[in-house]
Amino acid sequence: MALDTTLNLFQWPRVATVMLAIFAVVVVAEIGVTQIRKRIL
C-alpha cells in the first residue's frame, strides 16, 4: 500500500506536465486555426 502511494505521488508531476503540454498544444492550434479562418473569410 505504501509503495503504491509513493509511486503515485512521484508520478503526479509527470502527469501534470503532460496535461499542461497537451493543453498548450490545443490552445496554440486553436489560435492558429482562428487566424487561418480570419484570412479565408
Side-chain angles (χ1 to χ4, degrees):
M1 191 70 168
L3 179 60
D4 186 49
T5 304
T6 303
L7 289 174
N8 285 338
L9 289 176
F10 277 120
Q11 289 177 358
W12 278 116
R14 291 182 184 176
V15 172
T17 302
V18 170
M19 293 293 284
L20 286 174
I22 292 171
F23 182 73
V25 169
V26 170
V27 169
V28 169
E30 188 66 29
I31 292 171
V33 168
T34 303
Q35 294 298 323
I36 292 170
R37 285 181 183 168
K38 284 181 181 179
R39 291 180 187 172
I40 293 174
L41 300 175

